[in-house]
Amino acid sequence: MIVATTNDIAGYRIVRHLGLVRGITVRSRSVVGNFVGGLQSLFGGQISAFVHLAETARQEAFDHMCEHASQGGANAVVGMRYDANEITDGITEVLAYGTAVWVEPV
């Protein structure tokens, strides 16, 4: 699956637009993650416990989006974006979305 944040892909032409695709995941911080993150925040700098959580959530949403696109007959996604919302304290929704397309080499 080719995925681009742009509306086109260099070296390819879009021959069919297949519509909006999305992948959603909802993640929460664990008690251990909160504790480790709290300790790391005392010293400043990158909080690796939360970076790992954010990376995992984005990858999950991305993978779900690619599956959704593939199921719809796409071989690429253009205009891909992420969005995130806190549902409640410590629980976050991450959304990956874009336009599913069929592309062919130029």
Side-chain angles (χ1 to χ4, degrees), residues 24-28 57 60-61 64 85 87 91-94:
I24 300 170
T25 190
V26 177
R27 305 286 294 196
S28 68
E60 248 180 47
H64 290 312
N85 297 296
I87 293 174
I91 299 176
T92 302
E93 166 206 35
V94 177

Side-chain angles (χ1 to χ4, degrees), residues 26-85:
V26 177
R27 305 286 294 196
S28 68
R29 298 184 307 249
S30 68
V31 172
V32 173
N34 280 339
F35 178 74
V36 171
L39 283 178
Q40 288 179 328
S41 71
L42 292 174
F43 301 102
Q46 186 179 64
I47 303 173
S48 60
F50 295 150
V51 169
H52 177 72
L53 177 67
E55 285 292 336
T56 301
R58 283 183 177 223
Q59 188 64 54
E60 248 180 47
F62 181 88
D63 292 343
H64 290 312
M65 179 198 66
C66 290
E67 288 171 25
H68 189 211
S70 183
Q71 289 169 355
N75 66 350
V77 175
V78 295
M80 187 269 173
R81 302 285 185 270
Y82 285 107
D83 192 14
N85 297 296

